mmCIF file of all heavy atoms in Angstrom:
data_model
loop_
_atom_site.group_PDB
_atom_site.id
_atom_site.type_symbol
_atom_site.label_atom_id
_atom_site.label_comp_id
_atom_site.label_asym_id
_atom_site.label_seq_id
_atom_site.Cartn_x
_atom_site.Cartn_y
_atom_site.Cartn_z
ATOM 1 N N PRO A 1 -52.667 106.146 54.755
ATOM 2 C CA PRO A 1 -53.305 105.912 56.058
ATOM 3 C C PRO A 1 -54.497 104.971 56.002
ATOM 4 O O PRO A 1 -54.716 104.197 56.939
ATOM 5 C CB PRO A 1 -53.717 107.314 56.516
ATOM 6 C CG PRO A 1 -53.744 108.137 55.260
ATOM 7 C CD PRO A 1 -52.698 107.575 54.380
ATOM 8 N N TYR A 2 -55.275 105.017 54.909
ATOM 9 C CA TYR A 2 -56.428 104.127 54.850
ATOM 10 C C TYR A 2 -55.991 102.676 54.692
ATOM 11 O O TYR A 2 -56.628 101.759 55.233
ATOM 12 C CB TYR A 2 -57.374 104.556 53.728
ATOM 13 C CG TYR A 2 -58.093 105.842 54.053
ATOM 14 C CD1 TYR A 2 -57.768 107.035 53.419
ATOM 15 C CD2 TYR A 2 -59.089 105.870 55.040
ATOM 16 C CE1 TYR A 2 -58.414 108.218 53.733
ATOM 17 C CE2 TYR A 2 -59.739 107.052 55.366
ATOM 18 C CZ TYR A 2 -59.401 108.222 54.714
ATOM 19 O OH TYR A 2 -60.042 109.397 55.047
ATOM 20 N N ALA A 3 -54.888 102.454 53.970
ATOM 21 C CA ALA A 3 -54.347 101.098 53.882
ATOM 22 C C ALA A 3 -53.851 100.636 55.244
ATOM 23 O O ALA A 3 -54.105 99.493 55.654
ATOM 24 C CB ALA A 3 -53.220 101.041 52.848
ATOM 25 N N ASP A 4 -53.148 101.501 55.961
ATOM 26 C CA ASP A 4 -52.682 101.151 57.303
ATOM 27 C C ASP A 4 -53.863 100.799 58.209
ATOM 28 O O ASP A 4 -53.816 99.822 58.974
ATOM 29 C CB ASP A 4 -51.902 102.314 57.913
ATOM 30 C CG ASP A 4 -50.534 102.517 57.286
ATOM 31 O OD1 ASP A 4 -50.177 101.754 56.359
ATOM 32 O OD2 ASP A 4 -49.817 103.442 57.718
ATOM 33 N N MET A 5 -54.919 101.603 58.139
ATOM 34 C CA MET A 5 -56.106 101.345 58.947
ATOM 35 C C MET A 5 -56.715 99.987 58.623
ATOM 36 O O MET A 5 -57.097 99.225 59.519
ATOM 37 C CB MET A 5 -57.156 102.436 58.707
ATOM 38 C CG MET A 5 -56.844 103.788 59.307
ATOM 39 S SD MET A 5 -57.983 105.066 58.692
ATOM 40 C CE MET A 5 -59.557 104.394 59.176
ATOM 41 N N GLU A 6 -56.792 99.679 57.322
ATOM 42 C CA GLU A 6 -57.428 98.424 56.925
ATOM 43 C C GLU A 6 -56.578 97.225 57.305
ATOM 44 O O GLU A 6 -57.110 96.178 57.718
ATOM 45 C CB GLU A 6 -57.704 98.435 55.417
ATOM 46 C CG GLU A 6 -58.385 97.180 54.883
ATOM 47 C CD GLU A 6 -59.763 96.923 55.483
ATOM 48 O OE1 GLU A 6 -60.335 97.829 56.136
ATOM 49 O OE2 GLU A 6 -60.270 95.792 55.303
ATOM 50 N N VAL A 7 -55.268 97.334 57.173
ATOM 51 C CA VAL A 7 -54.395 96.242 57.600
ATOM 52 C C VAL A 7 -54.582 95.979 59.096
ATOM 53 O O VAL A 7 -54.724 94.830 59.533
ATOM 54 C CB VAL A 7 -52.926 96.558 57.276
ATOM 55 C CG1 VAL A 7 -51.989 95.587 57.989
ATOM 56 C CG2 VAL A 7 -52.683 96.494 55.772
ATOM 57 N N LYS A 8 -54.581 97.045 59.886
ATOM 58 C CA LYS A 8 -54.782 96.885 61.333
ATOM 59 C C LYS A 8 -56.143 96.234 61.611
ATOM 60 O O LYS A 8 -56.240 95.311 62.438
ATOM 61 C CB LYS A 8 -54.697 98.236 62.042
ATOM 62 C CG LYS A 8 -55.063 98.173 63.533
ATOM 63 C CD LYS A 8 -54.921 99.525 64.212
ATOM 64 C CE LYS A 8 -55.565 99.516 65.591
ATOM 65 N NZ LYS A 8 -55.026 98.478 66.486
ATOM 66 N N ARG A 9 -57.175 96.689 60.903
ATOM 67 C CA ARG A 9 -58.508 96.125 61.136
ATOM 68 C C ARG A 9 -58.527 94.628 60.843
ATOM 69 O O ARG A 9 -59.080 93.826 61.611
ATOM 70 C CB ARG A 9 -59.546 96.836 60.265
ATOM 71 C CG ARG A 9 -60.984 96.387 60.560
ATOM 72 C CD ARG A 9 -61.935 96.725 59.440
ATOM 73 N NE ARG A 9 -61.661 95.938 58.231
ATOM 74 C CZ ARG A 9 -61.996 94.656 58.073
ATOM 75 N NH1 ARG A 9 -62.582 93.982 59.057
ATOM 76 N NH2 ARG A 9 -61.709 94.024 56.956
ATOM 77 N N ARG A 10 -57.920 94.237 59.724
ATOM 78 C CA ARG A 10 -57.943 92.825 59.336
ATOM 79 C C ARG A 10 -57.139 91.967 60.311
ATOM 80 O O ARG A 10 -57.542 90.852 60.631
ATOM 81 C CB ARG A 10 -57.402 92.668 57.912
ATOM 82 C CG ARG A 10 -58.302 93.279 56.856
ATOM 83 C CD ARG A 10 -57.803 92.967 55.467
ATOM 84 N NE ARG A 10 -58.601 93.657 54.470
ATOM 85 C CZ ARG A 10 -58.569 93.382 53.170
ATOM 86 N NH1 ARG A 10 -57.774 92.437 52.718
ATOM 87 N NH2 ARG A 10 -59.318 94.067 52.333
ATOM 88 N N ILE A 11 -56.002 92.486 60.747
ATOM 89 C CA ILE A 11 -55.217 91.735 61.732
ATOM 90 C C ILE A 11 -56.006 91.577 63.025
ATOM 91 O O ILE A 11 -56.101 90.478 63.593
ATOM 92 C CB ILE A 11 -53.868 92.420 61.990
ATOM 93 C CG1 ILE A 11 -52.972 92.342 60.737
ATOM 94 C CG2 ILE A 11 -53.161 91.797 63.187
ATOM 95 C CD1 ILE A 11 -51.718 93.176 60.831
ATOM 96 N N ASP A 12 -56.577 92.666 63.507
ATOM 97 C CA ASP A 12 -57.340 92.607 64.757
ATOM 98 C C ASP A 12 -58.530 91.663 64.650
ATOM 99 O O ASP A 12 -58.925 91.028 65.639
ATOM 100 C CB ASP A 12 -57.824 94.005 65.150
ATOM 101 C CG ASP A 12 -56.699 94.930 65.582
ATOM 102 O OD1 ASP A 12 -55.573 94.441 65.811
ATOM 103 O OD2 ASP A 12 -56.941 96.153 65.688
ATOM 104 N N ALA A 13 -59.101 91.556 63.434
ATOM 105 C CA ALA A 13 -60.258 90.688 63.225
ATOM 106 C C ALA A 13 -59.852 89.246 62.944
ATOM 107 O O ALA A 13 -60.727 88.384 62.781
ATOM 108 C CB ALA A 13 -61.097 91.228 62.070
ATOM 109 N N GLY A 14 -58.561 88.962 62.874
ATOM 110 C CA GLY A 14 -58.104 87.612 62.591
ATOM 111 C C GLY A 14 -58.208 87.219 61.142
ATOM 112 O O GLY A 14 -58.140 86.029 60.795
ATOM 113 N N GLU A 15 -58.334 88.212 60.257
ATOM 114 C CA GLU A 15 -58.474 87.926 58.832
ATOM 115 C C GLU A 15 -57.131 87.789 58.126
ATOM 116 O O GLU A 15 -57.082 87.294 56.999
ATOM 117 C CB GLU A 15 -59.299 89.029 58.163
ATOM 118 C CG GLU A 15 -60.721 89.128 58.684
ATOM 119 C CD GLU A 15 -61.460 90.343 58.162
ATOM 120 O OE1 GLU A 15 -60.937 91.012 57.245
ATOM 121 O OE2 GLU A 15 -62.561 90.625 58.671
ATOM 122 N N MET A 16 -56.066 88.242 58.753
ATOM 123 C CA MET A 16 -54.737 88.119 58.177
ATOM 124 C C MET A 16 -53.714 88.124 59.303
ATOM 125 O O MET A 16 -53.983 88.665 60.384
ATOM 126 C CB MET A 16 -54.443 89.242 57.171
ATOM 127 C CG MET A 16 -54.441 90.641 57.754
ATOM 128 S SD MET A 16 -54.201 91.931 56.494
ATOM 129 C CE MET A 16 -52.467 91.721 56.086
ATOM 130 N N PRO A 17 -52.550 87.511 59.094
ATOM 131 C CA PRO A 17 -51.533 87.496 60.146
ATOM 132 C C PRO A 17 -50.769 88.810 60.200
ATOM 133 O O PRO A 17 -50.583 89.492 59.190
ATOM 134 C CB PRO A 17 -50.611 86.353 59.711
ATOM 135 C CG PRO A 17 -50.732 86.341 58.219
ATOM 136 C CD PRO A 17 -52.153 86.733 57.915
ATOM 137 N N GLY A 18 -50.317 89.154 61.386
ATOM 138 C CA GLY A 18 -49.534 90.370 61.548
ATOM 139 C C GLY A 18 -49.465 90.768 63.007
ATOM 140 O O GLY A 18 -50.136 90.178 63.862
ATOM 141 N N PRO A 19 -48.660 91.766 63.320
ATOM 142 C CA PRO A 19 -48.515 92.210 64.708
ATOM 143 C C PRO A 19 -49.655 93.108 65.151
ATOM 144 O O PRO A 19 -50.470 93.557 64.334
ATOM 145 C CB PRO A 19 -47.204 92.999 64.659
ATOM 146 C CG PRO A 19 -47.177 93.563 63.265
ATOM 147 C CD PRO A 19 -47.810 92.517 62.386
ATOM 148 N N LYS A 20 -49.704 93.364 66.429
ATOM 149 C CA LYS A 20 -50.591 94.411 66.945
ATOM 150 C C LYS A 20 -50.012 95.752 66.498
ATOM 151 O O LYS A 20 -48.824 96.008 66.670
ATOM 152 C CB LYS A 20 -50.659 94.336 68.472
ATOM 153 C CG LYS A 20 -51.158 92.990 68.988
ATOM 154 C CD LYS A 20 -50.904 92.819 70.484
ATOM 155 C CE LYS A 20 -51.319 91.424 70.930
ATOM 156 N NZ LYS A 20 -51.003 91.168 72.358
ATOM 157 N N ILE A 21 -50.851 96.614 65.941
ATOM 158 C CA ILE A 21 -50.352 97.846 65.332
ATOM 159 C C ILE A 21 -50.907 99.065 66.052
ATOM 160 O O ILE A 21 -52.117 99.194 66.250
ATOM 161 C CB ILE A 21 -50.726 97.918 63.842
ATOM 162 C CG1 ILE A 21 -50.132 96.732 63.083
ATOM 163 C CG2 ILE A 21 -50.243 99.231 63.228
ATOM 164 C CD1 ILE A 21 -50.491 96.697 61.598
ATOM 165 N N HIS A 22 -50.006 99.967 66.425
ATOM 166 C CA HIS A 22 -50.359 101.307 66.895
ATOM 167 C C HIS A 22 -50.096 102.260 65.740
ATOM 168 O O HIS A 22 -48.973 102.332 65.223
ATOM 169 C CB HIS A 22 -49.526 101.687 68.118
ATOM 170 C CG HIS A 22 -49.766 100.810 69.311
ATOM 171 N ND1 HIS A 22 -50.444 101.246 70.430
ATOM 172 C CD2 HIS A 22 -49.421 99.518 69.555
ATOM 173 C CE1 HIS A 22 -50.509 100.264 71.314
ATOM 174 N NE2 HIS A 22 -49.891 99.201 70.806
ATOM 175 N N LEU A 23 -51.108 102.999 65.341
ATOM 176 C CA LEU A 23 -51.036 103.792 64.119
ATOM 177 C C LEU A 23 -50.569 105.216 64.373
ATOM 178 O O LEU A 23 -51.070 105.896 65.269
ATOM 179 C CB LEU A 23 -52.401 103.835 63.437
ATOM 180 C CG LEU A 23 -52.932 102.516 62.869
ATOM 181 C CD1 LEU A 23 -54.363 102.710 62.374
ATOM 182 C CD2 LEU A 23 -52.041 102.015 61.743
ATOM 183 N N THR A 24 -49.618 105.657 63.559
ATOM 184 C CA THR A 24 -49.193 107.061 63.537
ATOM 185 C C THR A 24 -49.801 107.730 62.315
ATOM 186 O O THR A 24 -49.777 107.176 61.209
ATOM 187 C CB THR A 24 -47.663 107.172 63.498
ATOM 188 O OG1 THR A 24 -47.135 106.604 64.699
ATOM 189 C CG2 THR A 24 -47.217 108.624 63.401
ATOM 190 N N ALA A 25 -50.334 108.924 62.510
ATOM 191 C CA ALA A 25 -51.041 109.653 61.451
ATOM 192 C C ALA A 25 -50.089 110.057 60.324
ATOM 193 O O ALA A 25 -48.868 109.960 60.457
ATOM 194 C CB ALA A 25 -51.691 110.895 62.059
ATOM 195 N N PRO A 26 -50.634 110.537 59.203
ATOM 196 C CA PRO A 26 -49.775 111.099 58.161
ATOM 197 C C PRO A 26 -48.864 112.178 58.739
ATOM 198 O O PRO A 26 -49.235 112.894 59.670
ATOM 199 C CB PRO A 26 -50.782 111.686 57.168
ATOM 200 C CG PRO A 26 -51.998 110.824 57.327
ATOM 201 C CD PRO A 26 -52.052 110.496 58.797
ATOM 202 N N TYR A 27 -47.684 112.271 58.167
ATOM 203 C CA TYR A 27 -46.658 113.187 58.662
ATOM 204 C C TYR A 27 -47.185 114.627 58.749
ATOM 205 O O TYR A 27 -47.895 115.096 57.851
ATOM 206 C CB TYR A 27 -45.467 113.198 57.715
ATOM 207 C CG TYR A 27 -44.748 111.888 57.563
ATOM 208 C CD1 TYR A 27 -45.330 110.823 56.873
ATOM 209 C CD2 TYR A 27 -43.474 111.707 58.083
ATOM 210 C CE1 TYR A 27 -44.667 109.623 56.710
ATOM 211 C CE2 TYR A 27 -42.794 110.507 57.926
ATOM 212 C CZ TYR A 27 -43.401 109.464 57.239
ATOM 213 O OH TYR A 27 -42.739 108.276 57.074
ATOM 214 N N VAL A 28 -46.815 115.302 59.828
ATOM 215 C CA VAL A 28 -47.073 116.743 59.932
ATOM 216 C C VAL A 28 -45.803 117.434 59.471
ATOM 217 O O VAL A 28 -44.826 117.562 60.216
ATOM 218 C CB VAL A 28 -47.450 117.145 61.368
ATOM 219 C CG1 VAL A 28 -47.795 118.626 61.421
ATOM 220 C CG2 VAL A 28 -48.627 116.310 61.866
ATOM 221 N N GLU A 29 -45.786 117.837 58.220
ATOM 222 C CA GLU A 29 -44.614 118.410 57.571
ATOM 223 C C GLU A 29 -44.873 119.877 57.250
ATOM 224 O O GLU A 29 -46.028 120.279 57.038
ATOM 225 C CB GLU A 29 -44.306 117.617 56.290
ATOM 226 C CG GLU A 29 -43.292 118.229 55.337
ATOM 227 C CD GLU A 29 -41.863 118.298 55.865
ATOM 228 O OE1 GLU A 29 -41.697 118.805 56.990
ATOM 229 O OE2 GLU A 29 -40.949 117.893 55.135
ATOM 230 N N GLY A 30 -43.803 120.666 57.240
ATOM 231 C CA GLY A 30 -43.915 122.053 56.845
ATOM 232 C C GLY A 30 -43.419 122.253 55.424
ATOM 233 O O GLY A 30 -42.760 121.372 54.861
ATOM 234 N N PRO A 31 -43.724 123.395 54.835
ATOM 235 C CA PRO A 31 -43.235 123.652 53.486
ATOM 236 C C PRO A 31 -41.749 123.996 53.503
ATOM 237 O O PRO A 31 -41.254 124.545 54.500
ATOM 238 C CB PRO A 31 -44.085 124.842 53.034
ATOM 239 C CG PRO A 31 -44.445 125.548 54.312
ATOM 240 C CD PRO A 31 -44.570 124.469 55.344
ATOM 241 N N PRO A 32 -41.006 123.647 52.427
ATOM 242 C CA PRO A 32 -41.498 122.919 51.253
ATOM 243 C C PRO A 32 -41.337 121.415 51.462
ATOM 244 O O PRO A 32 -40.273 120.962 51.883
ATOM 245 C CB PRO A 32 -40.558 123.404 50.150
ATOM 246 C CG PRO A 32 -39.256 123.639 50.868
ATOM 247 C CD PRO A 32 -39.609 124.114 52.255
ATOM 248 N N SER A 33 -42.370 120.632 51.174
ATOM 249 C CA SER A 33 -42.253 119.182 51.299
ATOM 250 C C SER A 33 -41.371 118.655 50.174
ATOM 251 O O SER A 33 -41.637 118.908 49.005
ATOM 252 C CB SER A 33 -43.627 118.520 51.228
ATOM 253 O OG SER A 33 -43.484 117.121 51.235
ATOM 254 N N SER A 34 -40.316 117.946 50.541
ATOM 255 C CA SER A 34 -39.392 117.411 49.541
ATOM 256 C C SER A 34 -39.830 116.052 49.027
ATOM 257 O O SER A 34 -39.200 115.497 48.130
ATOM 258 C CB SER A 34 -37.984 117.298 50.142
ATOM 259 O OG SER A 34 -38.010 116.491 51.307
ATOM 260 N N ILE A 35 -40.891 115.500 49.593
ATOM 261 C CA ILE A 35 -41.412 114.192 49.187
ATOM 262 C C ILE A 35 -42.826 114.396 48.670
ATOM 263 O O ILE A 35 -43.691 114.927 49.380
ATOM 264 C CB ILE A 35 -41.396 113.203 50.366
ATOM 265 C CG1 ILE A 35 -39.954 113.022 50.871
ATOM 266 C CG2 ILE A 35 -41.997 111.868 49.971
ATOM 267 C CD1 ILE A 35 -39.844 112.173 52.112
ATOM 268 N N THR A 36 -43.073 113.982 47.429
ATOM 269 C CA THR A 36 -44.360 114.277 46.797
ATOM 270 C C THR A 36 -45.531 113.623 47.507
ATOM 271 O O THR A 36 -46.667 114.080 47.371
ATOM 272 C CB THR A 36 -44.350 113.824 45.326
ATOM 273 O OG1 THR A 36 -44.011 112.429 45.263
ATOM 274 C CG2 THR A 36 -43.351 114.621 44.516
#
């Protein structure tokens, strides 16, 4: 999520090319998580 946030920040600031990004939070998963 922090990488996603920083990519969005840089794009919005014109520091790197990319689309307008709407961010979805880390997955809300229940146990047992099958992905580490």
